[in-house]
């Protein structure tokens, strides 16, 4: 397998201003020899993060970025509140630096107050946490990253990256009973919304690349906000608005595994003045998907919070049209997180339109499912995962929509494993790349949970059999409900996704608001005209 068949080269990233692709003496746009582990569910991630932070000592470095941070969110029980854990690390002499999105007003159901309070509590403890509003109008910093470095103990260095924020509702486990500390949500999910999510634990040289992502943002000399109103509030609250210098970056950790990792990002084309490390923006997440989709032949497996945007989904549809044996499975939330009279149509119209396009292209080779927990409550799918042909795997903060591919800051890792998986079929795509252990094991771990089949035999390796088994389990559960729930509940957590009906008038009225507010386009006009990235 050639890495350049699946991963972006330096030129293909399309951003000559980032330090990422200048860090590697061999000129590669990726690092080899990493050890990557998927941490499925917030409870798994939070427990590991807690242990890793508490093991840090004076002189170590803790860097984090987040979309939302709730200071009282518990990582693992009483006394493990995130502000307390990070504050205690700072008091031990750990250098703690954070970048959290400033956010829009709380009355718009964002997290302005929570993010400010987290920053204030950490500053009082001796850490430094800046509220970063260097985004496009209506945009956000959506990257979810924690980097832990240990001078003199590089074997402990680790980076956590994925879809899990350090905030309420994320601390759920495989039983999907929900986080007791929950955010307001659509009523169908109940008071403790069940939450499905995933983070990666990355060890090895790629930790250096992920640290470089943080440093580029931290060292940006631009003001944290251009808004005069925000600048006045910064002064009124005596906020820290100047980033203190970081210690020099340590050498990358030594190779320790079989995983090749490429760090991909989205940064928008900011109006008036761009980022010094991406003056025209960066859309390497989108470009990485487009390159990988050109090699898709057997199965695309997606878990996604949104799956919107006809412009984006069109590339998946093209792969389905061009490859008659290609199947696509998508696991998405059954219902959006907002159910207001105005917000619900805005959140549905992009998905309904996108799924129509996928089904026109792939017919019965496209299957879309929601999840429920064993009690029958819908599970909110917040994961952002894609596995293609058991070779290419991506996990990050980015969703399948135009906002994530062009407008907000996003961060993901693509993983290719040097270790071949010989379980049949050994080469699902038939291109000679061979199935790879990491991608296949990640897909199987998720499949077994959704099928309620922890001991399901390796026949799930066969994409055709796995596709059929998903359909069988979902149909059985759907039929059980339709028959009045008589008899034992069939195994599995999959429900066939059926979008609510939307009239042409509702679509027509919702689409302009969807494009303006829900799924905006952050590309330069020359790229918009040709729908390129």
């Amino acid at each position: 397998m050639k890495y350049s068949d699946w991963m972006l080269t330096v030129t293909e990233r399309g951003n000559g201003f980032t330090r990422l692709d200048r860090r590697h003496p061999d000129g590669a746009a990726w690092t080899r020899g990493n050890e990557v582990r998927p941490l499925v569910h917030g409870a798994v991630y939070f427990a590991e993060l807690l242990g890793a932070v508490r093991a840090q000592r004076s002189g170590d470095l803790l860097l984090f970025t987040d979309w939302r941070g709730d200071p009282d969110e518990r990582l693992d029980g009483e006394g493990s509140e995130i502000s307390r854990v990070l504050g205690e690390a700072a008091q031990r002499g750990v250098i703690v630096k954070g970048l959290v999105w400033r956010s829009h007003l709380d009355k718009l159901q964002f997290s302005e107050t929570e993010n400010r309070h987290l920053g204030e509590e950490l500053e009082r403890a001796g850490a430094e946490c800046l509220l970063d509003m260097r985004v496009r109008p209506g945009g956000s910093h959506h990257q979810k990253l924690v980097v832990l470095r240990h001078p003199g103990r590089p074997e402990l260095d680790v980076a956590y990256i994925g879809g899990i924020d350090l905030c309420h509702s994320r601390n759920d486990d495989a039983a999907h009973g929900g986080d007791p500390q929950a955010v307001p949500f659509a009523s169908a999910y109940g008071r403790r919304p069940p939450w499905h999510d995933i983070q990666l634990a990355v060890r090895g040289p790629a930790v250096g690349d992920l640290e470089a992502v943080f440093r580029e943002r931290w060292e940006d000399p631009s003001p944290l906000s251009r808004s005069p109103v925000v600048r006045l509030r910064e002064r009124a609250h005596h906020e820290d608005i100047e980033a203190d210098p970081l210690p020099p970056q340590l050498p990358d950790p030594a190779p320790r595994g079989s995983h090749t990792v490429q760090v991909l990002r989205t940064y928008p084309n900011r109006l008036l003045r761009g980022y010094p490390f991406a003056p025209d923006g960066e859309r390497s997440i989108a470009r990485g998907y487009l390159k990988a989709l050109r090699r898709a032949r057997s199965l695309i497996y997606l878990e996604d919070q949104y799956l919107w945007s006809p412009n984006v989904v069109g590339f998946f549809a093209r792969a389905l049209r061009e490859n008659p044996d290609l199947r696509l499975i998508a696991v998405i939330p059954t219902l959006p997180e907002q159910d207001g009279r105005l917000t619900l149509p805005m959140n549905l119209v992009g998905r309904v339109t996108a799924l129509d396009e996928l089904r026109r292209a792939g017919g019965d080779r496209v299957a879309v499912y929601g999840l429920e927990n064993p009690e029958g409550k819908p599970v909110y799918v917040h994961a952002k995962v894609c596995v293609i042909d058991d070779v290419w795997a991506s996990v990050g903060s980015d969703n399948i929509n135009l906002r994530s591919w062009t407008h907000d800051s996003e961060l993901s890792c693509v993983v290719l494993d040097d270790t071949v998986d010989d379980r049949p079929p050994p080469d699902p795509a038939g291109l000679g790349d061979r199935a790879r252990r990491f991608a296949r094991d990640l897909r199987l771990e998720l499949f077994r949970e959704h099928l309620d089949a922890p001991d399901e035999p390796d026949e799930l390796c066969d994409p055709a059999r796995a596709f059929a088994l998903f359909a069988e389990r979902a149909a059985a559960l759907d039929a059980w409900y339709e028959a009045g729930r008589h008899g034992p509940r069939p195994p599995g957590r999959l429900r066939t996704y059926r979008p609510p009906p939307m009239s042409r008038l509702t679509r027509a009225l919702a689409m302009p608001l969807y494009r303006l507010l829900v799924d905006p386009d952050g590309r330069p006009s020359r790229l918009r005209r040709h729908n390129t990235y």
Side-chain angles (χ1 to χ4, degrees):
M1 177 181 63
K2 290 177 59 178
Y3 299 117
S4 59
D5 285 343
W6 287 93
M7 291 178 162
L8 299 179
T9 64
V10 169
T11 302
E12 289 171 334
R13 182 185 292 274
N15 178 12
F17 294 85
T18 177
R19 71 183 68 172
L20 274 184
D21 295 333
R22 299 195 300 269
R23 300 186 67 255
H24 308 132
D26 59 358
W30 48 76
T31 57
R32 297 186 62 184
N34 298 286
E35 174 191 307
V36 183
R37 290 184 301 110
L39 307 177
V40 182
H41 309 304
V44 176
Y45 167 45
F46 282 178
E48 178 166 320
L49 178 64
L50 176 63
V53 173
R54 284 182 168 168
Q56 288 196 292
R57 60 195 189 195
S58 181
D60 291 345
L61 184 63
L62 188 160
L63 311 173
F64 72 95
T65 67
D66 217 340
W67 177 81
R68 172 176 173 140
D70 286 307
D72 63 337
E73 174 67 8
R74 298 186 185 99
L75 297 178
D76 193 13
E78 192 74 29
S80 67
E81 294 78 12
I82 186 64
S83 62
R84 178 173 178 174
V85 171
L86 298 185
E88 289 174 347
Q91 291 166 353
R92 293 195 304 273
V94 178
I95 301 168
V96 178
K97 306 289 185 183
L99 286 168
V100 180
W101 178 46
R102 171 170 283 281
S103 182
H104 305 308
L105 297 175
D106 286 313
K107 62 185 179 183
L108 299 178
Q109 293 190 329
F110 287 97
S111 43
E112 179 192 36
T113 300
E114 292 80 2
N115 290 354
R116 180 164 57 83
H117 287 174
L118 176 63
E120 290 170 348
E121 292 191 19
L122 292 181
E123 294 273 348
R124 284 196 295 269
E128 186 175 17
C129 183
L130 306 182
L131 300 181
D132 191 353
M133 197 62 173
R134 292 171 291 198
V135 296
R136 279 179 71 98
S140 77
H141 281 303
H142 200 238
Q143 298 172 343
K144 304 128 186 354
L145 170 69
V146 179
V147 178
L148 308 180
R149 301 299 304 268
H150 308 78
R153 300 180 296 161
E155 70 279 1
L156 299 180
D157 290 349
V158 61
Y160 298 101
I161 173 262
I164 304 179
D165 300 281
L166 302 174
C167 72
H168 294 167
S169 283
R170 274 50 172 185
N171 199 346
D172 199 3
D173 57 23
H176 288 310
D179 186 339
Q181 298 173 277
V183 296
F185 225 65
S187 58
Y189 290 95
R191 297 180 63 183
R192 289 174 52 168
W195 200 275
H196 176 70
D197 221 330
I198 183 170
Q199 199 86 347
L200 295 180
V202 180
R203 291 176 169 83
V207 171
D209 280 358
L210 290 162
E211 181 180 346
V213 171
F214 179 91
R215 286 176 176 267
E216 285 187 331
R217 283 183 55 190
W218 185 263
E219 294 165 3
D220 183 350
S222 305
L224 294 173
S225 175
R226 295 172 178 168
S227 165
V229 175
V230 171
R231 306 280 294 266
L232 287 172
R233 284 157 58 197
E234 289 172 342
R235 293 183 181 181
H237 292 294
H238 305 288
E239 293 180 16
D240 183 359
I241 60 173
E242 297 290 339
D244 292 343
L246 293 170
Q249 183 163 348
L250 296 170
D252 291 351
R256 56 181 292 163
S258 63
H259 301 144
T260 297
V261 174
Q262 181 162 58
V263 175
L264 302 179
R265 308 176 303 179
T266 298
Y267 289 112
N269 175 46
R270 287 187 77 199
L271 307 177
L272 301 180
R273 182 181 179 184
Y275 303 101
F277 50 85
D280 199 32
E282 180 178 318
R283 292 158 294 278
S284 56
I285 287 174
R287 291 177 173 215
Y289 265 101
L290 299 188
K291 186 166 188 175
L293 286 171
R294 288 195 286 270
R295 294 186 73 79
R297 297 293 186 274
S298 178
L299 177 65
I300 300 170
Y301 177 66
L302 291 170
E303 292 188 359
D304 198 76
Q305 182 183 4
Y306 295 126
L307 193 59
W308 289 341
S309 301
N311 285 351
V312 169
V313 168
F315 295 101
F316 292 82
R318 183 172 67 186
L320 288 162
R321 285 193 298 269
E322 293 176 352
N323 300 281
D325 294 327
L326 180 62
R327 298 172 174 85
L328 184 147
I329 297 175
V331 176
I332 62 176
T334 303
L335 298 164
E337 70 268 31
Q338 299 180 35
D339 54 4
R341 293 182 62 186
L342 180 62
T343 56
L344 182 60
M346 283 196 309
N347 280 273
L348 281 175
V349 66
R351 174 181 291 170
V352 170
T353 307
L355 294 183
D356 285 348
E357 181 162 357
L358 284 176
R359 288 180 170 126
R360 283 194 300 269
D364 60 6
R365 293 180 288 124
V366 174
V368 183
Y369 302 99
L371 296 177
E372 67 175 33
N373 68 9
E375 287 70 48
K377 186 182 294 184
V379 174
Y380 190 71
V381 178
H382 192 259
K384 301 95 168 55
V385 180
C386 182
V387 179
I388 297 180
D389 291 345
D390 288 351
V391 176
W392 184 93
S394 173
V395 176
S397 67
D398 54 297
N399 294 293
I400 305 297
N401 61 14
L402 204 53
R403 177 181 282 275
S404 280
W405 280 23
T406 70
H407 194 273
D408 293 353
S409 75
E410 304 284 5
L411 181 64
S412 74
C413 283
V414 168
V415 182
L416 295 180
D417 196 340
D418 290 342
T419 304
V420 170
D421 190 308
D422 288 324
R423 289 172 290 184
D427 188 18
L431 299 177
D433 294 322
R434 310 289 298 277
R436 300 289 159 158
R437 178 69 67 171
F438 178 87
R440 179 168 277 176
D441 281 350
L442 173 60
R443 177 175 69 81
L444 294 182
E445 180 177 359
L446 296 168
F447 276 31
R448 285 168 175 148
E449 177 184 325
H450 302 333
L451 294 167
D452 266 340
D455 301 317
E456 191 72 32
D458 287 342
E459 65 175 336
L460 284 177
C461 294
D462 182 351
R465 175 59 188 142
F467 188 91
L469 189 56
F470 261 50
E472 291 168 12
R473 292 286 173 87
L477 194 52
D478 292 343
W480 181 73
Y481 276 103
E482 291 166 3
R485 295 185 290 184
H486 296 300
R489 183 184 184 278
R493 305 181 182 189
L494 296 162
R495 301 296 306 276
T496 305
Y497 179 77
R498 295 183 175 89
M502 297 187 72
S503 68
R504 289 185 179 181
L505 177 60
T506 301
R507 290 196 192 197
L509 293 174
M511 187 59 78
L513 292 174
Y514 159 78
R515 288 175 174 157
L516 177 66
L517 301 175
V518 177
D519 200 27
D521 193 332
R523 291 175 290 181
S525 57
R526 68 181 185 279
L527 299 182
R528 296 188 198 190
R529 286 195 296 268
H530 302 288
N531 195 30
T532 57
Y533 295 85

